[in-house]
Amino acid sequence: MSDRNRRASGSVLRLASLLSWVAALVVFLASVCFFITFLKFQIFFSDIYIIVPIILATAVAVILFFASFIGCCIKNDSPCLQGMFVYLLVIAFYLEAAAIVLTHLHSAKVDTELTAFEGVLNKYNETNQNIDTRAVDDIQEELQCCGIQNVKDWEKTPWFIQTREDRVPHSCCNSTYHNCTGSLTDSKLLYDKGCQVVLKEKVSFNFSFILWSLVATALLQIVELISIAILMNERVLPEYRILLDRDTYA
């Protein structure tokens, strides 16, 4: 291989490593956002296994931070860095494959992951600020939603039946209307979307974003592996170089 091709492979490797570092940063930040959402609204998720692919994605991002840094520094005469780079890429690739599969599987069943909504809503008690009450008020205020599918879900809850006031919690009020009291007669002043619907959209978007970010990162890793393979293939071991030099001068 000519020096020009070798330099081209090195340039492609450094560029791919730089892009891979950026992609890893995107995956890491998206995973952090998902973790924050999960911790805020954990009570509405049916189990904790939904974060397993996100943990794997975070591990991939951390490994690729180091691998991409090494990839930007690699030279043709640095076999140790080349070997370490390949090992990190292979480990990241396996974790990435698992993360992509699990992310796809969990994104297809987000509805079943959010089945705890009805149970939490039925425990709501405005006069007793328990953990379920605070969780419901927090999610309705932050996600600007009301009920599970819509505001009508409140009419089936024990709290609504007991109060007999024909109103929903004040956290259902649209923040732009300061005169809202939660009365169902003024339904235009209330949030119209259900919280399970909004949270599902948020979680599904996060899953899709992380999934396609991982796919893009995997494609960059393939480019990196091809580039490093070309560079490593061109490296001649010292003991063979002696033989080659001897044959040259013979």
Side-chain angles (χ1 to χ4, degrees), residues 137-155:
D137 285 335
D138 288 344
I139 193 172
Q140 291 189 150
E141 289 174 357
E142 183 163 340
L143 298 186
Q144 299 184 345
C145 55
C146 185
I148 302 174
Q149 300 299 324
N150 52 56
V151 67
K152 294 293 184 182
D153 295 316
W154 278 105
E155 297 178 6

Side-chain angles (χ1 to χ4, degrees), residues 53-66:
I54 311 304
I55 293 173
L56 291 175
T58 306
V60 169
V62 172
I63 293 172
L64 287 181
F65 281 143
F66 293 102

Side-chain angles (χ1 to χ4, degrees), residues 178-230:
H178 301 293
N179 60 332
C180 177
T181 60
S183 174
L184 290 176
T185 57
D186 296 324
S187 58
K188 292 181 179 179
L189 306 182
L190 306 173
Y191 295 123
D192 56 349
K193 269 193 173 184
C195 292
Q196 183 171 332
V197 176
V198 177
L199 186 57
K200 178 190 173 182
E201 291 174 354
K202 188 179 181 68
V203 171
S204 296
F205 174 79
N206 285 345
F207 268 139
S208 297
F209 188 82
I210 291 172
L211 176 64
W212 289 110
S213 298
L214 287 171
V215 171
T217 306
L219 294 176
L220 287 170
Q221 283 178 254
I222 293 174
V223 175
E224 289 176 297
L225 285 170
I226 293 173
S227 299
I228 193 64
I230 293 173

Side-chain angles (χ1 to χ4, degrees), residues 115-127:
T115 53
F117 253 98
E118 185 175 355
V120 177
L121 211 66
N122 286 333
K123 294 177 184 176
Y124 185 86
N125 188 342
E126 199 172 38
T127 57

Side-chain angles (χ1 to χ4, degrees), residues 37-38 41-47 50 113-114 116 199 203:
T37 300
F38 178 80
F41 309 122
Q42 184 176 356
I43 194 171
F44 299 104
F45 290 90
S46 57
D47 61 61
I50 193 172
E113 301 287 354
L114 300 175
L199 186 57
V203 171

Side-chain angles (χ1 to χ4, degrees), residues 18-71:
L18 181 60
L19 293 175
S20 182
W21 188 91
V22 174
L25 180 62
V26 171
V27 171
F28 181 81
L29 293 177
S31 300
V32 169
C33 289
F34 190 98
F35 277 123
I36 292 173
T37 300
F38 178 80
L39 291 175
K40 277 184 180 179
F41 309 122
Q42 184 176 356
I43 194 171
F44 299 104
F45 290 90
S46 57
D47 61 61
I48 198 173
Y49 297 109
I50 193 172
I51 65 170
V52 171
I54 311 304
I55 293 173
L56 291 175
T58 306
V60 169
V62 172
I63 293 172
L64 287 181
F65 281 143
F66 293 102
S68 299
F69 177 76
I70 294 173

